[in-house]
Amino acid sequence: MSSSLHEPKSQVKKQKISNVEEMKEYTYIVVGGGIAGVTCAEHLYILDPEAQTLLLTASYLIKTVTNVLPLTKTLDAFDVEEQPPEDLASRCPSVTVERDAVVQLDAKNKVIHTNSGNKFKYEKLCICSGAKPKVIPAAGNNPYVLWIRDTESVSQFQARMMNAKRIIIVGNGGIATEMVYEVTGVEVIWVIKDKYMTANFIDPGAAEFFRPELCKEKGKKVLPLKRRKYTVDKASGDLPVMGGALGPDWHEKLELKGDSTHRVILETEVEVSCILSPEEVKKLGKTVSTTRFEEGSAEWPVYVELTNDKVYGCSFIVSATGVIPNSKDFLAGNNFSLSLEGGFLVDDKMQTTESDIYAAGDVCTPNWEISRHWFQMRLWTQARQMGSYAAKCMWSSISGEEMYMDFCFELFCHATKFFGKKVILLGLFNGQGLESKYDILLRYSEGVEYIKCVMVEGRMQGALLIGETDLEETFENLILNQMDLSEFGEDLLNPDIDIEDYFD
Ligand code: FAD
């Protein structure tokens, strides 16, 4: 496949820079075909349809948000579809998509150099190059350690699962939680450094709510997937960067074993101290731990030693321990300020510290005075919100239109599913930043719903809603308007009082 998907349109200026080279000039260049980049390019087209925009992406397919369903003022549910770049170009005729990877950025001269030797000049640039998986330090280049980020990494996982009997999943975030739920028919040892599972998203009480799911038979999926899917041989082909992060149906692609039983062993408050070969286990005289699911002692191709000194054998290890912003291709020779984790620091107009360069999605780190009930989490919702807001800021800096901070940054909101149940997170749902100075109101019905409100002096600061509660809109309002709810006390969650009607 050639690296250029579309010839840039005739209006695009070409500047002669030598006898042989031509440099194409665009008003806007967006790097990255993930949700942040594609949303940014789409919104640039809506705001400034006459301007020439280039979307440069290393991935074959781009990610597009579809079927947007507003759940509340600040929270939308949506699907993420993988689409061929032609679909974007046909929807947004002044957007050109090129499949190429940025290998160097010359911020002073506003020029991008790509893997195929092309140069592109921009007036405004938005970097949406996503993030890379943070792999457990003990992994080195061990071939038995996998991670999940893009289509290609899922293919590798699928191939390994064919003969797997036991896998070790390391990490306690959303990806690890979804994998533990989706993987059936093999034994799973889930290694987490926290006291309880899924600690980034839920509290210990909610973890107990979900715990019975770890060894339950998984319900059959009744509905077929309605989304269109495209399959490619390789996610990024010969380009030196990975494809975009997977969309919400990513676990469907895991195509797991027929047997629907969960067999999960949870190892809490531990980390991986080293990975050993069978020979090393023998040579060092390590005692190998067995599990309640194991019949007789087995030989494994790889072993993991945990910080609690237990040694487990497994077929392979999945590292799901978070991400690192993918900023390094843009740094050489430039003056970007980065966060400790390597994200481009952006101000309240999504601008980096280099002029006319913006960043959005997983690759950036907000460096503005954030509102009390919002914080960054590298999620689809925020990639979309930031991509859209970055487009508005880029356009406003050219058009001179005044632009105010988008309302979506007022309140943290996220809708997801854990263990097949709807989960909605609002505001400071885990008491983030409140230093334990808060009260909790709880309504709990085993296996059905778990509702938690975080309250400070009678005002709601955050909420965690598991199950079909229908309370998200009411609670969003209560967090945003900071109404004093002291007079209701615990009745706020009394199932006999219809608080929805009351507050609407
Ligand atoms: P990406 O989607 O990573 O896109 C980056 C793009 O930049 C890619 O197209 C890449 O090819 C391109 N690129 C990179 N470098 C270059 C370069 N040098 N030149 C040209 N192009 C380049 N979020 C949720 O909200 N809910 C979930 O349940 C959830 N589950 C997840 C499960 C998995 C397995 C993973 C990996 C992530 C999950 N996330 C989830 C997180 C979510 O996917 C990301 O936050 C979001 O996709 C980030 O979007 P992005 O556009 O910033 O980056």
Side-chain angles (χ1 to χ4, degrees), residues 31-37 56-59 100-102 128-131 148-149 175 178 241-246 250 326 329-330 360-362 378-381 383 414 416:
V31 179
I35 293 174
L56 257 179
T57 180
S59 44
D100 208 344
V102 175
C128 306
S129 51
I148 301 277
R149 176 80 189 173
I175 297 176
E178 290 239 46
V241 285
M242 65 178 67
L246 298 157
W250 67 277
N326 192 14
D329 295 334
F330 305 85
D362 280 8
R378 291 190 161 87
L379 297 164
W380 292 306
T381 329
H414 183 53
T416 186

mmCIF file of all heavy atoms in Angstrom, residues 31-37 56-59 100-102 128-131 148-149 175 178 241-246 250 326 329-330 360-362 378-381 383 414 416, ligand 1:
data_model
loop_
_atom_site.group_PDB
_atom_site.id
_atom_site.type_symbol
_atom_site.label_atom_id
_atom_site.label_comp_id
_atom_site.label_asym_id
_atom_site.label_seq_id
_atom_site.Cartn_x
_atom_site.Cartn_y
_atom_site.Cartn_z
ATOM 1 N N VAL A 31 -1.954 15.591 13.680
ATOM 2 C CA VAL A 31 -1.230 14.322 13.641
ATOM 3 C C VAL A 31 -1.946 13.318 14.534
ATOM 4 O O VAL A 31 -2.132 13.568 15.732
ATOM 5 C CB VAL A 31 0.230 14.478 14.127
ATOM 6 C CG1 VAL A 31 0.948 13.127 14.084
ATOM 7 C CG2 VAL A 31 0.967 15.494 13.278
ATOM 8 N N GLY A 32 -2.343 12.171 13.947
ATOM 9 C CA GLY A 32 -2.965 11.111 14.745
ATOM 10 C C GLY A 32 -4.357 10.770 14.261
ATOM 11 O O GLY A 32 -5.212 11.653 14.142
ATOM 12 N N GLY A 33 -4.581 9.492 13.957
ATOM 13 C CA GLY A 33 -5.889 9.039 13.472
ATOM 14 C C GLY A 33 -6.712 8.382 14.564
ATOM 15 O O GLY A 33 -7.593 7.571 14.275
ATOM 16 N N GLY A 34 -6.439 8.714 15.833
ATOM 17 C CA GLY A 34 -7.258 8.218 16.944
ATOM 18 C C GLY A 34 -8.442 9.159 17.155
ATOM 19 O O GLY A 34 -8.710 10.055 16.335
ATOM 20 N N ILE A 35 -9.144 8.974 18.267
ATOM 21 C CA ILE A 35 -10.360 9.765 18.487
ATOM 22 C C ILE A 35 -10.044 11.256 18.580
ATOM 23 O O ILE A 35 -10.755 12.092 18.021
ATOM 24 C CB ILE A 35 -11.069 9.298 19.774
ATOM 25 C CG1 ILE A 35 -11.573 7.885 19.539
ATOM 26 C CG2 ILE A 35 -12.228 10.218 20.137
ATOM 27 C CD1 ILE A 35 -12.157 7.238 20.738
ATOM 28 N N ALA A 36 -8.953 11.608 19.270
ATOM 29 C CA ALA A 36 -8.638 13.029 19.438
ATOM 30 C C ALA A 36 -8.347 13.668 18.076
ATOM 31 O O ALA A 36 -8.899 14.726 17.746
ATOM 32 C CB ALA A 36 -7.449 13.201 20.378
ATOM 33 N N GLY A 37 -7.485 13.029 17.276
ATOM 34 C CA GLY A 37 -7.079 13.608 15.988
ATOM 35 C C GLY A 37 -8.241 13.707 15.012
ATOM 36 O O GLY A 37 -8.449 14.748 14.369
ATOM 37 N N LEU A 56 -2.507 13.579 9.366
ATOM 38 C CA LEU A 56 -1.393 12.655 9.134
ATOM 39 C C LEU A 56 -1.498 11.547 10.147
ATOM 40 O O LEU A 56 -1.526 11.815 11.350
ATOM 41 C CB LEU A 56 -0.082 13.394 9.440
ATOM 42 C CG LEU A 56 0.767 13.896 8.317
ATOM 43 C CD1 LEU A 56 1.980 14.604 8.894
ATOM 44 C CD2 LEU A 56 1.209 12.780 7.400
ATOM 45 N N THR A 57 -1.557 10.315 9.687
ATOM 46 C CA THR A 57 -1.660 9.250 10.686
ATOM 47 C C THR A 57 -0.849 8.029 10.299
ATOM 48 O O THR A 57 -0.775 7.665 9.123
ATOM 49 C CB THR A 57 -3.128 8.857 10.949
ATOM 50 O OG1 THR A 57 -3.129 7.821 11.928
ATOM 51 C CG2 THR A 57 -3.846 8.395 9.706
ATOM 52 N N ALA A 58 -0.287 7.404 11.306
ATOM 53 C CA ALA A 58 0.529 6.227 11.069
ATOM 54 C C ALA A 58 -0.334 4.977 10.951
ATOM 55 O O ALA A 58 0.146 3.926 10.543
ATOM 56 C CB ALA A 58 1.527 6.071 12.210
ATOM 57 N N SER A 59 -1.624 5.068 11.326
ATOM 58 C CA SER A 59 -2.456 3.855 11.315
ATOM 59 C C SER A 59 -3.215 3.721 9.997
ATOM 60 O O SER A 59 -3.556 4.716 9.365
ATOM 61 C CB SER A 59 -3.443 3.909 12.492
ATOM 62 O OG SER A 59 -4.006 5.187 12.606
ATOM 63 N N ASP A 100 1.209 8.318 7.001
ATOM 64 C CA ASP A 100 2.646 8.551 7.102
ATOM 65 C C ASP A 100 2.939 8.846 8.571
ATOM 66 O O ASP A 100 2.049 9.219 9.322
ATOM 67 C CB ASP A 100 3.018 9.768 6.225
ATOM 68 C CG ASP A 100 4.450 9.683 5.734
ATOM 69 O OD1 ASP A 100 5.223 8.891 6.300
ATOM 70 O OD2 ASP A 100 4.788 10.429 4.783
ATOM 71 N N ALA A 101 4.176 8.671 8.973
ATOM 72 C CA ALA A 101 4.509 8.933 10.379
ATOM 73 C C ALA A 101 5.424 10.137 10.467
ATOM 74 O O ALA A 101 6.352 10.287 9.668
ATOM 75 C CB ALA A 101 5.195 7.714 10.981
ATOM 76 N N VAL A 102 5.157 10.982 11.440
ATOM 77 C CA VAL A 102 6.039 12.134 11.674
ATOM 78 C C VAL A 102 7.328 11.605 12.294
ATOM 79 O O VAL A 102 7.297 10.848 13.270
ATOM 80 C CB VAL A 102 5.368 13.128 12.642
ATOM 81 C CG1 VAL A 102 6.314 14.268 12.998
ATOM 82 C CG2 VAL A 102 4.087 13.650 12.038
ATOM 83 N N CYS A 128 -1.871 14.756 18.188
ATOM 84 C CA CYS A 128 -2.799 13.837 18.876
ATOM 85 C C CYS A 128 -2.241 12.421 18.711
ATOM 86 O O CYS A 128 -2.899 11.528 18.166
ATOM 87 C CB CYS A 128 -4.193 13.904 18.261
ATOM 88 S SG CYS A 128 -4.884 15.563 18.196
ATOM 89 N N SER A 129 -1.000 12.236 19.139
ATOM 90 C CA SER A 129 -0.308 10.968 18.854
ATOM 91 C C SER A 129 -0.512 9.915 19.938
ATOM 92 O O SER A 129 0.169 8.887 19.941
ATOM 93 C CB SER A 129 1.182 11.236 18.632
ATOM 94 O OG SER A 129 1.692 12.001 19.690
ATOM 95 N N GLY A 130 -1.444 10.141 20.855
ATOM 96 C CA GLY A 130 -1.850 9.086 21.776
ATOM 97 C C GLY A 130 -0.804 8.718 22.810
ATOM 98 O O GLY A 130 0.002 9.538 23.248
ATOM 99 N N ALA A 131 -0.833 7.457 23.210
ATOM 100 C CA ALA A 131 0.070 6.989 24.268
ATOM 101 C C ALA A 131 0.522 5.571 23.941
ATOM 102 O O ALA A 131 -0.039 4.917 23.065
ATOM 103 C CB ALA A 131 -0.665 7.016 25.606
ATOM 104 N N ILE A 148 -1.764 -4.774 25.432
ATOM 105 C CA ILE A 148 -2.867 -4.550 24.483
ATOM 106 C C ILE A 148 -2.981 -3.056 24.233
ATOM 107 O O ILE A 148 -3.125 -2.281 25.175
ATOM 108 C CB ILE A 148 -4.215 -5.040 25.062
ATOM 109 C CG1 ILE A 148 -4.172 -6.532 25.395
ATOM 110 C CG2 ILE A 148 -5.366 -4.710 24.147
ATOM 111 C CD1 ILE A 148 -4.431 -7.469 24.275
ATOM 112 N N ARG A 149 -2.896 -2.640 22.988
ATOM 113 C CA ARG A 149 -3.153 -1.225 22.666
ATOM 114 C C ARG A 149 -3.910 -1.117 21.340
ATOM 115 O O ARG A 149 -4.909 -0.462 21.235
ATOM 116 C CB ARG A 149 -1.829 -0.448 22.574
ATOM 117 C CG ARG A 149 -1.973 1.022 22.142
ATOM 118 C CD ARG A 149 -2.403 1.906 23.282
ATOM 119 N NE ARG A 149 -2.745 3.257 22.841
ATOM 120 C CZ ARG A 149 -3.274 4.178 23.612
ATOM 121 N NH1 ARG A 149 -3.519 3.924 24.879
ATOM 122 N NH2 ARG A 149 -3.575 5.365 23.151
ATOM 123 N N ILE A 175 -8.384 -1.579 31.523
ATOM 124 C CA ILE A 175 -8.044 -2.625 30.547
ATOM 125 C C ILE A 175 -7.909 -3.968 31.260
ATOM 126 O O ILE A 175 -8.473 -4.978 30.824
ATOM 127 C CB ILE A 175 -6.740 -2.279 29.796
ATOM 128 C CG1 ILE A 175 -6.928 -0.992 28.993
ATOM 129 C CG2 ILE A 175 -6.313 -3.421 28.884
ATOM 130 C CD1 ILE A 175 -5.691 -0.495 28.285
ATOM 131 N N GLU A 178 -11.381 -5.253 32.323
ATOM 132 C CA GLU A 178 -12.170 -5.795 31.208
ATOM 133 C C GLU A 178 -11.616 -7.137 30.753
ATOM 134 O O GLU A 178 -12.360 -8.046 30.422
ATOM 135 C CB GLU A 178 -12.144 -4.810 30.030
ATOM 136 C CG GLU A 178 -12.941 -3.556 30.318
ATOM 137 C CD GLU A 178 -14.049 -3.358 29.314
ATOM 138 O OE1 GLU A 178 -14.760 -4.322 29.010
ATOM 139 O OE2 GLU A 178 -14.188 -2.221 28.833
ATOM 140 N N VAL A 241 5.597 3.452 14.109
ATOM 141 C CA VAL A 241 4.786 3.740 15.301
ATOM 142 C C VAL A 241 3.580 2.815 15.327
ATOM 143 O O VAL A 241 3.226 2.227 14.314
ATOM 144 C CB VAL A 241 4.276 5.202 15.328
ATOM 145 C CG1 VAL A 241 5.348 6.172 15.689
ATOM 146 C CG2 VAL A 241 3.632 5.568 14.013
ATOM 147 N N MET A 242 2.959 2.729 16.481
ATOM 148 C CA MET A 242 1.839 1.801 16.579
ATOM 149 C C MET A 242 0.525 2.447 16.127
ATOM 150 O O MET A 242 0.446 3.658 15.965
ATOM 151 C CB MET A 242 1.703 1.285 18.002
ATOM 152 C CG MET A 242 1.343 2.327 19.007
ATOM 153 S SD MET A 242 1.160 1.584 20.621
ATOM 154 C CE MET A 242 2.817 1.083 20.976
ATOM 155 N N GLY A 243 -0.479 1.582 15.939
ATOM 156 C CA GLY A 243 -1.789 2.094 15.550
ATOM 157 C C GLY A 243 -2.464 2.769 16.731
ATOM 158 O O GLY A 243 -1.935 2.789 17.834
ATOM 159 N N GLY A 244 -3.675 3.298 16.483
ATOM 160 C CA GLY A 244 -4.390 3.986 17.554
ATOM 161 C C GLY A 244 -4.911 2.991 18.580
ATOM 162 O O GLY A 244 -5.019 1.798 18.310
ATOM 163 N N ALA A 245 -5.256 3.526 19.755
ATOM 164 C CA ALA A 245 -5.822 2.673 20.798
ATOM 165 C C ALA A 245 -7.135 2.087 20.289
ATOM 166 O O ALA A 245 -7.813 2.678 19.459
ATOM 167 C CB ALA A 245 -6.058 3.505 22.041
ATOM 168 N N LEU A 246 -7.484 0.920 20.811
ATOM 169 C CA LEU A 246 -8.682 0.230 20.340
ATOM 170 C C LEU A 246 -9.951 0.972 20.740
ATOM 171 O O LEU A 246 -9.923 1.785 21.660
ATOM 172 C CB LEU A 246 -8.701 -1.177 20.944
ATOM 173 C CG LEU A 246 -7.504 -2.020 20.501
ATOM 174 C CD1 LEU A 246 -7.240 -3.123 21.504
ATOM 175 C CD2 LEU A 246 -7.746 -2.594 19.139
ATOM 176 N N TRP A 250 -13.156 -3.366 21.907
ATOM 177 C CA TRP A 250 -11.854 -4.012 21.752
ATOM 178 C C TRP A 250 -11.845 -5.438 22.270
ATOM 179 O O TRP A 250 -11.236 -6.308 21.679
ATOM 180 C CB TRP A 250 -10.773 -3.193 22.460
ATOM 181 C CG TRP A 250 -10.895 -3.155 23.946
ATOM 182 C CD1 TRP A 250 -11.691 -2.334 24.669
ATOM 183 C CD2 TRP A 250 -10.219 -3.982 24.889
ATOM 184 N NE1 TRP A 250 -11.551 -2.588 26.004
ATOM 185 C CE2 TRP A 250 -10.656 -3.594 26.172
ATOM 186 C CE3 TRP A 250 -9.268 -5.005 24.786
ATOM 187 C CZ2 TRP A 250 -10.187 -4.194 27.329
ATOM 188 C CZ3 TRP A 250 -8.807 -5.594 25.945
ATOM 189 C CH2 TRP A 250 -9.267 -5.196 27.192
ATOM 190 N N ASN A 326 2.777 9.592 24.074
ATOM 191 C CA ASN A 326 3.632 9.274 22.934
ATOM 192 C C ASN A 326 4.166 10.582 22.310
ATOM 193 O O ASN A 326 3.754 10.968 21.226
ATOM 194 C CB ASN A 326 2.744 8.515 21.938
ATOM 195 C CG ASN A 326 3.510 7.876 20.838
ATOM 196 O OD1 ASN A 326 4.728 7.747 20.905
ATOM 197 N ND2 ASN A 326 2.803 7.497 19.791
ATOM 198 N N ASP A 329 8.519 11.518 19.360
ATOM 199 C CA ASP A 329 8.829 11.800 17.945
ATOM 200 C C ASP A 329 8.856 13.296 17.627
ATOM 201 O O ASP A 329 9.267 13.695 16.548
ATOM 202 C CB ASP A 329 7.773 11.161 17.031
ATOM 203 C CG ASP A 329 7.803 9.650 17.108
ATOM 204 O OD1 ASP A 329 8.860 9.093 17.429
ATOM 205 O OD2 ASP A 329 6.736 9.041 16.867
ATOM 206 N N PHE A 330 8.374 14.119 18.548
ATOM 207 C CA PHE A 330 8.207 15.542 18.247
ATOM 208 C C PHE A 330 9.174 16.438 19.020
ATOM 209 O O PHE A 330 9.135 17.651 18.895
ATOM 210 C CB PHE A 330 6.762 15.960 18.589
ATOM 211 C CG PHE A 330 5.734 15.114 17.904
ATOM 212 C CD1 PHE A 330 5.311 13.907 18.451
ATOM 213 C CD2 PHE A 330 5.209 15.501 16.676
ATOM 214 C CE1 PHE A 330 4.378 13.104 17.812
ATOM 215 C CE2 PHE A 330 4.272 14.710 16.018
ATOM 216 C CZ PHE A 330 3.863 13.516 16.592
ATOM 217 N N ALA A 360 -3.788 17.288 22.005
ATOM 218 C CA ALA A 360 -5.062 16.820 22.571
ATOM 219 C C ALA A 360 -5.037 15.309 22.738
ATOM 220 O O ALA A 360 -4.287 14.610 22.051
ATOM 221 C CB ALA A 360 -6.217 17.222 21.648
ATOM 222 N N GLY A 361 -5.867 14.807 23.649
ATOM 223 C CA GLY A 361 -5.981 13.359 23.864
ATOM 224 C C GLY A 361 -4.905 12.833 24.805
ATOM 225 O O GLY A 361 -4.331 13.567 25.618
ATOM 226 N N ASP A 362 -4.605 11.547 24.652
ATOM 227 C CA ASP A 362 -3.688 10.868 25.584
ATOM 228 C C ASP A 362 -2.299 11.495 25.634
ATOM 229 O O ASP A 362 -1.572 11.319 26.607
ATOM 230 C CB ASP A 362 -3.512 9.397 25.156
ATOM 231 C CG ASP A 362 -4.663 8.520 25.606
ATOM 232 O OD1 ASP A 362 -5.663 9.058 26.109
ATOM 233 O OD2 ASP A 362 -4.561 7.288 25.443
ATOM 234 N N ARG A 378 -6.935 9.301 31.037
ATOM 235 C CA ARG A 378 -6.752 9.085 29.589
ATOM 236 C C ARG A 378 -7.816 8.116 29.079
ATOM 237 O O ARG A 378 -7.656 6.908 29.123
ATOM 238 C CB ARG A 378 -5.311 8.633 29.323
ATOM 239 C CG ARG A 378 -4.350 9.778 29.590
ATOM 240 C CD ARG A 378 -2.941 9.546 29.139
ATOM 241 N NE ARG A 378 -2.249 10.815 29.027
ATOM 242 C CZ ARG A 378 -1.611 11.421 30.030
ATOM 243 N NH1 ARG A 378 -1.558 10.873 31.217
ATOM 244 N NH2 ARG A 378 -1.033 12.585 29.828
ATOM 245 N N LEU A 379 -8.917 8.696 28.590
ATOM 246 C CA LEU A 379 -10.118 7.953 28.206
ATOM 247 C C LEU A 379 -10.663 8.481 26.884
ATOM 248 O O LEU A 379 -10.358 9.601 26.491
ATOM 249 C CB LEU A 379 -11.196 8.141 29.274
ATOM 250 C CG LEU A 379 -10.872 7.598 30.669
ATOM 251 C CD1 LEU A 379 -11.825 8.179 31.691
ATOM 252 C CD2 LEU A 379 -10.920 6.084 30.678
ATOM 253 N N TRP A 380 -11.534 7.657 26.238
ATOM 254 C CA TRP A 380 -12.151 8.083 24.974
ATOM 255 C C TRP A 380 -12.887 9.400 25.135
ATOM 256 O O TRP A 380 -12.773 10.291 24.298
ATOM 257 C CB TRP A 380 -13.191 7.040 24.509
ATOM 258 C CG TRP A 380 -12.598 5.757 24.108
ATOM 259 C CD1 TRP A 380 -11.606 5.588 23.182
ATOM 260 C CD2 TRP A 380 -12.918 4.457 24.591
ATOM 261 N NE1 TRP A 380 -11.303 4.270 23.077
ATOM 262 C CE2 TRP A 380 -12.093 3.553 23.915
ATOM 263 C CE3 TRP A 380 -13.819 3.961 25.522
ATOM 264 C CZ2 TRP A 380 -12.129 2.185 24.143
ATOM 265 C CZ3 TRP A 380 -13.870 2.610 25.747
ATOM 266 C CH2 TRP A 380 -13.032 1.733 25.064
ATOM 267 N N THR A 381 -13.690 9.485 26.200
ATOM 268 C CA THR A 381 -14.498 10.692 26.409
ATOM 269 C C THR A 381 -13.614 11.934 26.346
ATOM 270 O O THR A 381 -13.933 12.903 25.658
ATOM 271 C CB THR A 381 -15.149 10.642 27.815
ATOM 272 O OG1 THR A 381 -15.401 9.298 28.155
ATOM 273 C CG2 THR A 381 -16.364 11.482 27.899
ATOM 274 N N ALA A 383 -10.527 12.228 25.146
ATOM 275 C CA ALA A 383 -9.839 12.389 23.856
ATOM 276 C C ALA A 383 -10.767 13.142 22.899
ATOM 277 O O ALA A 383 -10.356 14.048 22.175
ATOM 278 C CB ALA A 383 -9.462 11.025 23.286
ATOM 279 N N HIS A 414 -17.651 9.832 33.130
ATOM 280 C CA HIS A 414 -17.238 8.694 32.311
ATOM 281 C C HIS A 414 -18.278 7.597 32.421
ATOM 282 O O HIS A 414 -18.745 7.281 33.516
ATOM 283 C CB HIS A 414 -15.871 8.194 32.777
ATOM 284 C CG HIS A 414 -15.338 7.078 31.932
ATOM 285 N ND1 HIS A 414 -15.231 7.165 30.567
ATOM 286 C CD2 HIS A 414 -14.886 5.845 32.254
ATOM 287 C CE1 HIS A 414 -14.739 6.046 30.090
ATOM 288 N NE2 HIS A 414 -14.516 5.221 31.096
ATOM 289 N N THR A 416 -18.922 3.579 31.436
ATOM 290 C CA THR A 416 -18.236 2.377 30.966
ATOM 291 C C THR A 416 -19.010 1.156 31.448
ATOM 292 O O THR A 416 -20.113 1.269 31.987
ATOM 293 C CB THR A 416 -16.764 2.367 31.452
ATOM 294 O OG1 THR A 416 -16.078 1.259 30.865
ATOM 295 C CG2 THR A 416 -16.643 2.268 32.968
HETATM 296 P P1 FAD B 1 -4.805 7.039 20.006
HETATM 297 O O1 FAD B 1 -6.137 6.411 19.854
HETATM 298 O O2 FAD B 1 -3.713 6.218 20.594
HETATM 299 O O3 FAD B 1 -4.355 7.548 18.584
HETATM 300 C C1 FAD B 1 -3.047 7.981 18.317
HETATM 301 C C2 FAD B 1 -2.861 8.079 16.822
HETATM 302 O O4 FAD B 1 -1.632 8.726 16.543
HETATM 303 C C3 FAD B 1 -2.800 6.721 16.108
HETATM 304 O O5 FAD B 1 -3.538 6.803 14.915
HETATM 305 C C4 FAD B 1 -1.315 6.543 15.821
HETATM 306 O O6 FAD B 1 -1.075 5.710 14.705
HETATM 307 C C5 FAD B 1 -0.937 8.003 15.543
HETATM 308 N N1 FAD B 1 0.480 8.312 15.705
HETATM 309 C C6 FAD B 1 1.274 8.096 16.775
HETATM 310 N N2 FAD B 1 2.513 8.570 16.540
HETATM 311 C C7 FAD B 1 2.501 9.099 15.286
HETATM 312 C C8 FAD B 1 3.480 9.723 14.454
HETATM 313 N N3 FAD B 1 4.735 9.908 14.862
HETATM 314 N N4 FAD B 1 3.114 10.109 13.214
HETATM 315 C C9 FAD B 1 1.842 9.924 12.754
HETATM 316 N N5 FAD B 1 0.879 9.332 13.508
HETATM 317 C C10 FAD B 1 1.204 8.932 14.749
HETATM 318 N N6 FAD B 1 -11.003 4.529 27.228
HETATM 319 C C11 FAD B 1 -12.256 4.598 27.658
HETATM 320 O O7 FAD B 1 -12.797 5.699 27.747
HETATM 321 N N7 FAD B 1 -12.953 3.494 28.001
HETATM 322 C C12 FAD B 1 -12.444 2.263 27.890
HETATM 323 O O8 FAD B 1 -13.107 1.281 28.201
HETATM 324 C C13 FAD B 1 -11.126 2.146 27.379
HETATM 325 N N8 FAD B 1 -10.599 0.926 27.172
HETATM 326 C C14 FAD B 1 -9.399 0.849 26.574
HETATM 327 C C15 FAD B 1 -8.930 -0.411 26.232
HETATM 328 C C16 FAD B 1 -7.721 -0.561 25.600
HETATM 329 C C17 FAD B 1 -7.210 -1.909 25.257
HETATM 330 C C18 FAD B 1 -6.941 0.602 25.339
HETATM 331 C C19 FAD B 1 -5.607 0.458 24.698
HETATM 332 C C20 FAD B 1 -7.389 1.862 25.690
HETATM 333 C C21 FAD B 1 -8.631 1.994 26.285
HETATM 334 N N9 FAD B 1 -9.153 3.234 26.610
HETATM 335 C C22 FAD B 1 -10.416 3.332 27.070
HETATM 336 C C23 FAD B 1 -8.381 4.476 26.421
HETATM 337 C C24 FAD B 1 -8.710 5.137 25.099
HETATM 338 O O9 FAD B 1 -8.608 4.171 24.082
HETATM 339 C C25 FAD B 1 -7.747 6.288 24.834
HETATM 340 O O10 FAD B 1 -7.791 7.214 25.900
HETATM 341 C C26 FAD B 1 -8.091 7.040 23.550
HETATM 342 O O11 FAD B 1 -8.293 6.158 22.493
HETATM 343 C C27 FAD B 1 -6.969 8.020 23.196
HETATM 344 O O12 FAD B 1 -7.205 8.570 21.938
HETATM 345 P P2 FAD B 1 -6.071 9.408 21.200
HETATM 346 O O13 FAD B 1 -6.687 9.880 19.943
HETATM 347 O O14 FAD B 1 -5.494 10.417 22.131
HETATM 348 O O15 FAD B 1 -4.881 8.372 20.907
#
